[in-house]
């Protein structure tokens, strides 16, 4: 209930902060299946296996399992299909990319001791997350328009404060999207500090069209060290440097057939910055056939800069109006959730490996501050109320058909971290700036398999195929809510019906490795 009491007051502050909103924070915090072809073919379940750079990314103690030095590199070709469905209207986008995923080096350093067998070192580069995405949604006959949402958001604002003479885009008291809509003739004042759509008549229908393109990646550089105590206990640590490069452009159009009018809203945003993280891990091998692992990943502490720009084109039957925001930039700090991973693996002689990972991540612990470290209280309040603990399960199997040829299968599933209120559109999300479109992502499933062939004792080649599926809700803009004066409950006044976004990514991976 606290959410309902704070919602209308806090949304203003969130809109004005212009750092990442809660859904943008999640975009930088979630992870994807990554690593070598062998690791991904086994569903990424390498927390207790070690001896592969995929395992080192999950549990740094895996570096201690190596008994030789090694160099590996991985390339991939993802083929992405994204299909949206809204009110029976279907849009489909296909894209193919080439990616350089991984480069790693492990240095095996035996000590010659009776108990401490080796202290190994590793460096690896990994494309931790790929933001490349492109999709379209459209339809006819929508009952609520973006101007309804903006009007509701702007209610209570003095229109004089959105006048150009006040330099309104430099004001920290009014959301930029309200100023843009007011200056762009998209909303009108119909009463004292009360607003309504300027183009859209009551009960008229809207034809929406949304196109979104995203690109960039999070690149991770891992520096790891691990020790091997009697081939029984392995302890390791990793220091990670992360580099964020994210770009987003959106095109949104609403056409009003009954009024012979329309508008288009274009948004451009990019996020750049660097961060660091610490990982600690242990693997215990009580008997040859059993390995148990545990690892802790600290938050990644980021220093980030957002840059943003928007333009609005409003088309009346007899005139056209253009409005532009100035170029904006905000520097801030953000830390991702911490996580724990618990792992179990069975090694059946030299023939087979069965492995399992269970990861939990506390998305409520995401945190935003300004560049001086002052807490963004409202943004973090939303994160605390809209997110929860979420789990990732990974399982894998490897079987050696011959000493040279291995077959692999795997599965992984990533839980959605939203609370039921946000997921079911019972509350309004905290958005930023002038981008009203957002995704509520569903569970992600991975079905994986592959082959590995050892040409010589030193040279090998691994192939993997990963089938990734996810279904999400794509909103053109939030629903319109108000707070009941008698009960203080949040009431949905006008519903924003989402499109269904089904994303399928089929990826082929190839890893070349050399042991020495």
């Amino acid at each position: 209930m606290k959410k309902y009491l704070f919602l209308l007051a806090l949304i203003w502050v969130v809109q004005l902060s212009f750092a990442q909103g809660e859904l943008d924070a999640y975009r930088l915090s979630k992870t994807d299946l990554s690593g070598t072809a062998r690791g991904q073919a086994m569903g990424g379940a390498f927390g207790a296996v070690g001896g592969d750079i995929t395992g080192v990314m999950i549990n740094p103690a895996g570096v201690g399992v190596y008994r030789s030095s090694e160099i590996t590199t991985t390339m991939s070709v993802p083929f992405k299909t994204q299909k949206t469905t809204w009110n029976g209207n279907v849009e489909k986008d296909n894209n193919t990319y080439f990616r350089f995923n991984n480069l790693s080096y492990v240095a095996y350093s035996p000590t010659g001791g009776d108990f401490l067998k080796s202290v190994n070192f590793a460096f690896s580069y990994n494309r931790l997350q790929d933001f490349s995405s492109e999709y379209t949604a459209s339809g006819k006959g929508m009952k609520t328009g973006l101007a309804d949402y903006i009007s509701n958001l702007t209610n209570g604002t003095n229109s004089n404060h959105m006048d150009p003479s006040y330099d309104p885009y430099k004001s920290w008291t009014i959301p930029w999207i309200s100023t843009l809509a007011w200056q762009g003739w998209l909303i009108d004042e119909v009463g004292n500090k009360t607003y309504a759509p300027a183009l859209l008549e009551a009960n008229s229908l809207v034809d929406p069209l949304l196109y979104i393109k995203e690109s960039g990646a999070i690149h991770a550089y891992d520096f790891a060290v691990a020790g091997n105590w009697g081939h029984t206990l392995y302890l390791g640590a990793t220091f990670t440097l992360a580099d964020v490069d994210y770009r987003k452009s959106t095109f949104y159009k609403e056409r009003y057939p009954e009024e012979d009018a329309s508008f288009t809203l274009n948004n451009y945003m990019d996020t750049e910055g660097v961060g660091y993280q610490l990982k600690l891990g242990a693997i215990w091998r009580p008997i040859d056939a059993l390995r148990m692992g545990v690892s802790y990943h600290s938050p990644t502490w980021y220093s980030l800069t957002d840059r943003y720009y928007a333009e609005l084109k409003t088309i009346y039957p007899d005139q056209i109006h253009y409005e532009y925001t100035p170029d904006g930039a905000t520097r801030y700090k953000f830390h991702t959730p911490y996580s724990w991973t618990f792992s179990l693996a069975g090694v059946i002689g030299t023939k087979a490996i069965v492995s399992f990972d269970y990861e939990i991540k506390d998305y409520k612990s995401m945190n935003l501050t300004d560049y001086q470290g002052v807490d963004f209280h409202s943004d973090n309040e939303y994160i605390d109320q809209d997110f929860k603990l979420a789990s990732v399960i990974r399982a894998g199997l490897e079987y050696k058909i011959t000493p040279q040829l291995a077959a692999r299968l795997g599965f992984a599933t990533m839980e959605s971290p939203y609370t039921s209120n946000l997921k079911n559109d019972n509350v309004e999300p905290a958005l930023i700036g002038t981008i009203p479109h957002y995704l509520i992502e569903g569970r992600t499933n991975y079905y994986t398999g592959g082959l590995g062939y050892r040409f010589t004792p030193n040279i090998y080649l691994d192939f993997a195929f990963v089938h990734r599926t996810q279904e999400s809700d794509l909103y053109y803009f939030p629903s319109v809510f108000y707070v009941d004066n008698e009960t203080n409950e949040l009431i949905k006044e006008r519903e924003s019906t989402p499109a269904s976004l089904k994303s399928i990514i089929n990826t082929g991976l190839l890893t070349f490795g050399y042991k020495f």
Side-chain angles (χ1 to χ4, degrees):
M1 301 305 293
K2 184 179 179 182
K3 174 81 171 193
Y4 301 160
L5 297 175
F6 278 101
L7 178 63
L8 293 184
L10 294 186
I11 188 66
W12 288 78
V13 181
V14 174
Q15 286 275 354
L16 298 174
S17 68
F18 279 96
Q20 298 286 340
E22 57 178 340
L23 300 179
D24 303 285
Y26 172 57
R27 181 181 58 243
L28 296 179
S29 300
K30 65 182 180 180
T31 54
D32 207 351
L33 205 62
S34 57
T36 64
R38 181 192 181 202
Q40 294 198 44
M42 294 177 64
F46 261 76
V49 178
D52 186 279
I53 209 64
T54 306
V56 175
M57 294 169 60
I58 300 168
N59 187 343
V63 175
V65 177
Y66 279 86
R67 298 194 189 184
S68 64
S69 298
E70 183 179 73
I71 296 174
T72 62
T73 185
T74 303
M75 293 155 287
S76 68
V77 179
F79 178 78
K80 180 176 288 190
T81 298
Q82 301 202 99
K83 184 176 73 172
T84 63
T85 305
W86 188 89
N87 199 23
N89 195 71
V90 177
E91 299 279 357
K92 192 173 182 180
D93 297 270
N94 296 317
N95 294 281
T96 304
Y97 313 94
F98 173 82
R99 294 289 182 255
F100 176 72
N101 285 52
N102 162 267
L103 177 65
S104 66
Y105 167 69
V106 178
Y108 171 61
S109 304
T111 63
D114 293 332
F115 185 54
L116 179 60
K117 300 296 184 181
S118 64
V119 178
N120 300 338
F121 302 88
F123 166 78
S124 68
Y125 156 78
N126 294 284
R127 181 181 287 265
L128 197 62
Q129 190 177 157
D130 193 330
F131 294 121
S132 298
S133 187
E134 195 170 350
Y135 49 92
T136 306
S138 66
K140 292 184 178 181
M142 187 164 66
K143 296 180 180 180
T144 303
L146 175 59
D148 290 303
Y149 165 72
I150 299 176
S151 297
N152 185 66
L153 180 68
T154 312
N155 285 337
T157 300
N158 189 330
S159 61
N160 290 334
H161 295 166
M162 295 186 288
D163 188 273
S165 62
Y166 280 79
D167 200 0
Y169 289 112
K170 289 190 177 180
S171 169
W172 290 105
T173 60
I174 302 169
W176 273 28
I177 196 168
S178 295
T179 300
L180 183 67
W182 173 257
Q183 295 294 334
W185 302 357
L186 192 57
I187 60 174
D188 276 338
E189 189 172 18
V190 295
N192 183 25
K193 299 181 181 179
T194 304
Y195 297 85
L199 298 176
L200 186 63
E201 297 293 334
N203 300 318
S204 293
L205 298 179
V206 178
D207 295 346
L209 171 64
L210 173 63
Y211 170 74
I212 293 178
K213 183 176 182 179
E214 299 172 289
S215 60
I218 296 180
H219 309 276
Y221 305 87
D222 293 336
F223 303 84
V225 59
N228 172 356
W229 280 267
H231 302 306
T232 301
L233 178 65
Y234 307 88
L235 299 175
T238 298
F239 177 75
T240 300
L241 290 174
D243 173 26
V244 175
D245 175 24
Y246 172 76
R247 294 174 297 280
K248 182 176 187 175
S249 63
T250 71
F251 169 86
Y252 181 64
K253 180 177 182 178
E254 282 187 1
R255 190 173 66 88
Y256 312 133
E258 298 175 36
E259 286 80 17
D260 191 26
S262 65
F263 75 86
T264 59
L265 173 64
N266 294 322
N267 273 285
Y268 309 91
M269 187 185 84
D270 67 74
T271 301
E272 295 180 342
V274 295
Y276 62 92
Q277 180 187 43
L278 180 66
K279 303 174 186 176
L280 302 172
I283 295 176
W284 183 41
R285 185 184 178 193
I287 59 175
D288 288 346
L290 180 64
R291 295 178 186 179
M292 294 179 283
V294 60
S295 62
Y296 167 76
H297 292 194
S298 78
T300 302
W301 288 276
Y302 283 116
S303 296
L304 300 168
T305 300
D306 283 354
R307 296 179 179 86
Y308 35 85
Y309 168 75
E311 53 191 30
L312 176 67
K313 178 182 178 183
T314 312
I315 305 174
Y316 285 85
D318 56 349
Q319 58 184 317
I320 299 176
H321 183 75
Y322 296 89
E323 177 67 16
Y324 308 89
T325 70
D327 293 332
T330 302
R331 298 173 67 200
Y332 60 99
K333 295 183 178 181
F334 167 64
H335 74 66
T336 66
Y338 65 87
S339 66
W340 287 90
T341 301
F342 303 92
S343 307
L344 189 67
V347 181
I348 306 170
T350 60
K351 294 292 291 184
I353 297 174
V354 180
S355 57
F356 176 84
D357 287 352
Y358 177 73
E359 177 185 336
I360 53 172
K361 184 176 286 191
D362 184 10
Y363 286 93
K364 291 165 64 72
S365 67
M366 296 185 295
N367 187 266
L368 290 153
T369 66
D370 70 14
Y371 216 71
Q372 284 71 44
V374 177
D375 186 74
F376 287 164
H377 177 76
S378 298
D379 302 72
N380 295 324
E381 183 86 13
Y382 270 83
I383 288 171
D384 186 60
Q385 295 174 62
D386 290 339
F387 286 86
K388 60 184 180 66
L389 281 170
S391 64
V392 179
I393 296 174
R394 298 182 290 263
L397 167 68
E398 178 180 74
Y399 181 77
K400 287 193 174 181
I401 301 171
T402 71
Q404 290 78 36
L405 180 64
R408 297 150 186 155
L409 289 173
F411 171 76
T413 182
M414 184 183 302
E415 182 184 12
S416 172
Y418 310 111
T419 61
S420 59
N421 274 335
L422 183 61
K423 190 173 183 179
N424 297 327
D425 193 37
N426 294 327
V427 294
E428 184 178 343
L431 305 180
I432 61 164
T434 56
I435 303 178
H437 333 295
Y438 65 96
L439 269 179
I440 298 296
E441 298 184 24
R443 178 181 291 273
T444 308
N445 293 320
Y446 305 83
Y447 305 89
T448 68
L451 296 170
Y453 189 80
R454 189 172 294 276
F455 294 93
T456 71
N458 306 98
I459 299 173
Y460 65 87
L461 195 66
D462 293 324
F463 168 77
F465 178 79
V466 177
H467 177 70
R468 178 188 186 272
T469 65
Q470 184 184 50
E471 293 191 21
S472 306
D473 289 330
L474 171 62
Y475 286 84
Y476 296 117
F477 47 83
S479 296
V480 175
F481 293 88
Y482 71 92
V483 175
D484 186 280
N485 292 329
E486 294 183 0
T487 64
N488 284 325
E489 291 189 357
L490 196 65
I491 308 298
K492 187 183 296 183
E493 181 179 12
R494 297 180 71 90
E495 184 173 10
S496 176
T497 305
S500 172
L501 173 62
K502 185 173 184 179
S503 175
I504 297 175
I505 306 176
N506 293 311
T507 304
L509 299 102
L510 194 66
T511 296
F512 173 80
Y514 175 67
K515 293 179 177 289
F516 57 97

